[in-house]
Amino acid sequence: MSAQADRKTENLPQWKQEEVDDLEALIENYESVGIVGIAGIPSKQLQDMRRDLHGTAELRVSRNTLQVRALETAGLDDLVDNVEGQVGLIGTNDNPFTLYKELEASKTPAPINEGEVAPNDIVIPEGDTGVDPGPFVGELQSIGANARIEDGSIQVMEDSTVLEAGGEVSADLANVLNELGIEPKEVGLDLRAVVAEGVLFDPEDLDIDIEAYESDVQTAAARARNLSLNAPFPTATTAPTLIAKATGEAKSLGLQAAIEDEDLMPDLVSKADAQLRALAAQIDDEEALPAELQDVSAPAAGAAGSADEDEDEDENESADDQGAETDDVDTDDDDDEDDGDGAEGLGAMFG
């Protein structure tokens, strides 16, 4: 506690000191502490809001002077300027963005009274008012609504803006809105500022589109992964994909070069068998394919090898789908050359 704050709490009546202590306890017990406006909220509705917040946040309403003392004692001077008018202290262990979203969602429509300032444009919508013909049509017209009597009732012919945001509500407008059941304002706890981990957040900082923000984060993560894959720069996330890609490229190179490696032999045999059968199919001779192979299907090992290649391709495609512009190994030309070599060898065999 600072010396200045200490002096301010000297000679306080016992009940005021106890109130300041309770406010200080609220500040101490929560990770996020803010100031909320409570003007215009009926007492019963305020109690309902306090009850709805139970388990998520704690609201305490007290004299402004006592709230200021508690904030200064706790070192939250940044919030003091927001203690003006009818306000309360709110504490929560949620982050400020969650608190703001919850308080905004809890607001409810309410009538507006004479002399109040319109929080937004007040519009009387097009349609049947449900009011029988009478003096009320004149009242609507006097406040600027395009209204007339049709089909036995008073109709508003088009959406009519009768007061722009920031304008003061007249007695005539308040009466018309009340008659039509239009509630143009929202009543609820108005978060003015909140401090979390020493950082001050204003409502403008907290009013964000959560879905758009999440989309931006996902896009940034995908681009970072793409950069890591193309660099290549291994991380815990990209290492499996990089290893799978390198494995597939090494295997493709081994097959193209016909390296007699133990792991490649099943695929090499499968490839040679496929080339043999393709060539035999082009020869108009039932005995073009050796008799011992005519009733034998392609080697299972070769099929397994093909499946392995498919898996490698799937890995690469998965990386491409997330924005990774990886270079695919081009095997078409080499395969054609291998097919040619196989044809010459087998031609010599059957020649």
Side-chain angles (χ1 to χ4, degrees):
M1 180 185 297
S2 66
Q4 181 180 5
D6 195 12
R7 287 194 299 272
K8 285 185 177 181
T9 55
E10 290 179 356
N11 303 319
L12 276 179
Q14 182 64 27
W15 72 268
K16 287 187 177 181
Q17 184 59 57
E18 291 176 354
E19 179 66 15
V20 171
D21 290 342
D22 289 342
L23 293 170
E24 290 178 8
L26 181 148
I27 295 171
E28 180 68 23
N29 289 337
Y30 293 99
E31 297 178 2
S32 300
V33 176
I35 304 295
V36 292
I38 60 174
I41 304 177
S43 177
K44 182 180 183 306
Q45 192 170 356
L46 183 61
Q47 293 301 321
D48 292 340
M49 292 178 180
R50 191 197 305 268
R51 184 177 61 253
D52 292 340
L53 288 171
H54 182 70
T56 301
E58 180 180 352
L59 171 66
R60 190 174 185 94
V61 179
S62 183
R63 292 189 178 184
N64 288 7
T65 54
L66 302 183
Q67 293 185 57
V68 169
R69 290 182 188 226
L71 290 170
E72 290 179 341
T73 301
L76 298 182
D77 294 354
D78 290 340
L79 290 177
V80 171
D81 290 341
N82 294 282
V83 182
E84 184 178 358
Q86 294 179 299
V87 298
L89 276 180
I90 190 167
T92 180
N93 288 324
D94 287 336
N95 65 66
F97 296 93
T98 300
L99 175 64
Y100 177 82
K101 185 177 181 180
E102 182 177 357
L103 293 182
E104 287 298 303
S106 69
K107 292 182 177 180
T108 57
I112 196 166
N113 300 316
E114 176 187 356
E116 291 190 62
V117 174
N120 41 54
D121 290 350
I122 297 179
V123 178
I124 296 181
E126 175 185 356
D128 189 348
T129 64
V131 179
D132 293 335
F136 188 63
V137 67
E139 296 179 27
L140 281 168
Q141 293 170 346
S142 70
I143 63 170
N146 182 5
R148 63 174 180 241
I149 298 174
E150 278 193 0
D151 299 328
S153 66
I154 299 176
Q155 306 273 344
V156 177
M157 308 312 297
E158 60 183 358
D159 289 348
S160 302
T161 301
V162 293
L163 185 65
E164 294 184 349
E168 183 176 326
V169 178
S170 66
D172 290 340
L173 177 57
N175 290 335
V176 169
L177 295 176
N178 184 62
E179 178 70 23
L180 295 175
I182 296 176
E183 299 177 327
K185 71 175 184 179
E186 289 184 325
V187 173
L189 300 174
D190 184 21
L191 187 62
R192 296 188 177 181
V194 59
V195 170
E197 298 182 359
V199 179
L200 177 68
F201 295 90
D202 293 322
E204 294 78 13
D205 302 323
L206 303 174
D207 186 15
I208 63 174
D209 186 331
I210 299 297
E211 293 183 358
Y213 186 79
E214 289 177 347
S215 177
D216 290 343
V217 172
Q218 291 171 354
T219 299
R223 289 176 177 173
R225 185 177 189 276
N226 173 53
L227 177 62
S228 178
L229 289 172
N230 286 304
F233 184 83
T235 67
T237 301
T238 60
T241 302
L242 288 172
I243 292 172
K245 181 174 181 290
T247 300
E249 291 173 346
K251 182 176 181 180
S252 178
L253 178 61
L255 289 173
Q256 292 177 51
I259 297 174
E260 296 181 3
D261 179 83
E262 180 179 354
D263 292 334
L264 294 179
M265 287 307 297
D267 296 292
L268 289 172
V269 171
S270 177
K271 181 179 179 181
D273 180 78
Q275 291 173 337
L276 173 61
R277 294 174 184 273
L279 179 60
Q282 300 299 318
I283 300 174
D284 187 16
D285 186 347
E286 294 181 357
E287 297 181 356
L289 188 66
E292 59 270 22
L293 294 180
Q294 290 181 0
D295 297 326
V296 179
S297 60
S306 177
D308 290 339
E309 291 179 10
D310 290 341
E311 290 177 2
D312 293 335
E313 291 175 1
D314 289 342
E315 286 285 352
N316 290 330
E317 289 175 1
S318 176
D320 291 341
D321 288 342
Q322 298 189 43
E325 298 176 359
T326 54
D327 295 330
D328 294 331
V329 176
D330 185 2
T331 63
D332 293 340
D333 293 341
D334 294 323
D335 284 345
D336 291 342
E337 292 175 5
D338 290 342
D339 291 344
D341 293 342
E344 291 177 4
L346 291 171
M349 178 191 303
F350 292 111

